[in-house]
Amino acid sequence: MERLPRRLRTLLLSLRDLLLSAGPLAVLGVGLVVLAFQWLKPTPPHQVTLATGPAQSAYEDFGKRYQEALAANGIEVRLLPSDGSSANLQLLRSGQADLAFVQGGTGELRPGDGDELVSLGSLFVEPVWLFYRGDAARRAHGTARLDGLHQLRGMRVNVGSPGSGVPTLMERLLAANHVPPADLALTQLEQTPATVEFLAGRLDALVFASAPESLMVQMLLQTPGVQLMGFAQNEAYGRRFPFLTPVTLPRGVVDLAANVPPRDVRLVASTTSLLAREGTHPALLQLFAQAAQTIHGGAGWFNRAREFPSTRHAELPIAKEGERAINEPTPLLQRYLPFWIANLVERMWLVLGILIAVMLPLSRVVPPLYQFRVRSRVFRWYGHLREIEDDMEAGRAAPEELRQRLARLEAQVEKVSVPLSYADELYALRNHIQLVQRRVPGA
């Protein structure tokens, strides 16, 4: 430092004083930001588990679409197959899944679920598809066309596996039609083996609830000899069961050229929601809710464009992220910035605002502290000068010794460097040293 040019030495000393003055405040600010980051955890985990459904189901297909959508933001969606809606609800409760598709009215929600689970909105309708064999209907009732559940008496009917939730739903619907289970030959096979049995003629009717995108639905709608039962009282079902909605499968919507179906078919449908555990990271909920706009926002057999996702028909509280994604436009930052940056700013801005509000008053201490440090380099030599002057007045030192001490003091002060704005105080010190030198006896 001694050999450095005076200007450079002065600059380095000024920087050192500035760092020592503002350093503690900067360390405090960084520490608070780190603590806020640890508390808020704005960065989402890179892996999330989504419970879907059986193989070749609409749930499985939608799960793959979410997997692809979130992969664009660096999130790995692990798909967890299941028997269906009821099984998905159990996976959520046990913590084996973070999110899951759950069908309204079939999941047997518990009173405590509202505290542990949230909804990202209703995604699509799942009609109750009741396919039956025309030849079986003729044998049982002398007609190939059925339009009510009461006509299933005496028939072999598969109502789906217990984990799908359909058995619970069908139990409620059959009870409303005064059809006791003993009047039917009920089975609870999974969808694929049940379809094989049905097509082989060992089952008379097949019931499952699924979105029309299901490959099984698409196939059965176009299979010769297989009929789709309409619910002639679908409006009444909608009034009796709040989780059911009356819908109509329009004539020819499956195949316009082949006119499939040959007439409008009245059906009942439940709405399927995307549920999540309460502790799932908010950024993940936001990504899923935004992906839902693209995946489910188009027109379908039973809805017009942008009718879904929806906050209607929700059996659980809607998460804030779902509410915002459904009812508000895409956040401004996410339109122009990568998601991880926009998410970080959105989740930290309030904390940063509070930190700025706290740090601004504290920052007022820095200028006086810096001033004190710079001036102290000058003022501490006044203590030595005052000591010499006191010895001179009390006669405790010989004139020659006083002159030597003043000379050493003057040489040391020559090495002091201060910013130009404080140079007047340094020159004042030098003048005072010379003033005392003139007062030494014999000078």
Side-chain angles (χ1 to χ4, degrees):
M1 183 72 76
E2 296 290 341
R3 300 177 181 177
L4 293 175
R6 179 177 290 273
R7 287 187 178 181
L8 181 57
R9 187 168 69 247
T10 301
L11 176 62
L12 293 177
L13 288 172
S14 298
L15 289 175
R16 185 194 67 180
D17 290 330
L18 183 60
L19 289 175
L20 291 175
S21 301
L25 186 64
V27 171
L28 175 63
V30 171
L32 291 176
V33 170
V34 171
L35 288 176
F37 189 91
Q38 294 295 325
W39 176 51
L40 291 177
K41 293 182 172 57
T43 304
H46 295 292
Q47 187 180 77
V48 62
T49 301
L50 172 64
T52 55
Q56 298 183 337
S57 67
Y59 286 0
E60 181 188 51
D61 179 61
F62 286 133
K64 292 177 180 178
R65 296 193 201 179
Y66 279 100
Q67 189 177 53
E68 182 179 351
L70 268 72
N73 290 293
I75 305 298
E76 179 188 354
V77 179
R78 189 172 69 90
L79 302 182
L80 184 60
S82 71
D83 289 335
S85 183
S86 292
N88 286 352
L89 201 53
Q90 296 301 325
L91 292 171
L92 283 175
R93 289 171 179 152
S94 65
Q96 297 178 61
D98 302 303
L99 299 98
F101 300 114
V102 176
Q103 187 181 45
T106 63
E108 297 296 335
L109 290 174
R110 300 172 184 171
D113 286 338
D115 298 326
E116 300 177 3
L117 306 176
V118 293
S119 172
L120 294 180
S122 303
L123 304 181
F124 50 87
V125 295
E126 286 194 280
V128 176
W129 305 96
L130 198 159
F131 294 100
Y132 63 94
R133 298 178 60 87
D135 54 356
R138 288 191 190 91
R139 287 195 303 269
H141 302 286
T143 176
R145 184 174 178 183
L146 305 181
D147 59 6
L149 293 178
H150 63 283
Q151 295 175 300
L152 294 178
R153 285 186 174 91
M155 299 181 70
R156 299 168 297 178
V157 182
N158 186 80
V159 293
S161 61
S164 67
V166 179
T168 303
L169 174 62
M170 284 301 296
E171 181 181 350
R172 300 173 70 174
L173 297 185
L174 288 170
N177 284 271
H178 306 293
V179 179
D183 288 359
L184 296 84
L186 293 177
T187 58
Q188 295 188 7
L189 301 176
E190 292 185 0
Q191 192 176 100
T192 300
T195 303
V196 172
E197 293 293 298
F198 176 69
L199 295 176
R202 290 185 287 271
L203 286 174
D204 300 324
L206 185 68
V207 184
F208 54 88
S210 177
E213 287 84 354
S214 168
L215 295 177
M216 207 70 74
V217 171
Q218 302 272 350
M219 183 268 292
L220 290 173
L221 284 172
Q222 302 180 69
T223 300
V226 174
Q227 303 291 326
L228 173 64
M229 192 192 88
F231 286 75
Q233 301 165 309
N234 66 343
E235 290 289 344
Y237 280 101
R239 303 291 177 87
R240 291 282 300 273
F241 301 97
F243 53 84
L244 291 180
T245 302
V247 296
T248 299
L249 183 67
R251 173 183 175 181
V253 72
V254 179
D255 190 329
L256 288 171
N259 194 30
V260 179
R263 65 186 67 84
D264 290 350
V265 183
R266 301 171 71 179
L267 302 173
V268 293
S270 62
T271 54
T272 292
S273 300
L274 182 60
L275 302 188
R277 290 178 56 82
E278 179 66 37
T280 305
H281 196 284
L284 290 177
L285 298 183
Q286 187 177 23
L287 280 174
F288 271 93
Q290 290 174 349
Q293 307 301 305
T294 302
I295 296 173
H296 307 288
W301 287 2
F302 302 101
N303 63 277
R304 299 185 184 277
R306 294 181 294 280
E307 285 187 13
F308 289 100
S310 169
T311 55
R312 300 191 302 272
H313 310 293
E315 297 180 276
L316 289 171
I318 300 291
K320 291 185 295 184
E321 291 74 15
E323 188 83 41
R324 186 168 67 171
I326 292 171
N327 299 320
E328 298 179 14
T330 304
L332 181 64
L333 291 178
Q334 291 187 29
R335 300 178 200 172
Y336 305 103
L337 297 174
F339 175 80
W340 70 272
I341 297 178
N343 172 70
L344 181 63
V345 174
E346 287 175 3
R347 302 199 179 280
M348 291 291 289
W349 72 267
L350 182 58
V351 173
L352 292 176
I354 295 174
L355 288 178
I356 291 173
V358 172
M359 299 296 286
L360 278 178
L362 293 178
S363 65
R364 297 177 182 175
V365 178
V366 175
L369 186 60
Y370 173 75
Q371 184 182 41
F372 171 78
R373 292 194 60 84
V374 173
R375 297 181 72 182
S376 66
R377 294 213 299 270
V378 176
F379 290 161
R380 66 192 180 95
W381 297 110
Y382 274 105
H384 297 289
L385 181 61
R386 184 61 179 269
E387 183 181 345
I388 294 172
E389 190 175 19
D390 289 343
D391 289 345
M392 180 181 65
E393 293 178 350
R396 289 192 293 268
E400 183 61 29
E401 180 185 349
L402 292 173
R403 281 192 287 271
Q404 290 177 358
R405 290 169 63 184
L406 286 169
R408 287 197 298 270
L409 178 60
E410 187 174 26
Q412 290 172 325
V413 170
E414 282 289 337
K415 301 176 182 178
V416 174
S417 297
V418 295
L420 290 177
S421 57
Y422 296 91
D424 56 338
E425 297 177 358
L426 180 61
Y427 284 110
L429 174 60
R430 292 175 179 175
N431 289 334
H432 292 154
I433 294 173
Q434 293 172 3
L435 178 62
V436 175
Q437 284 175 333
R438 288 195 293 268
R439 291 178 55 199
V440 174

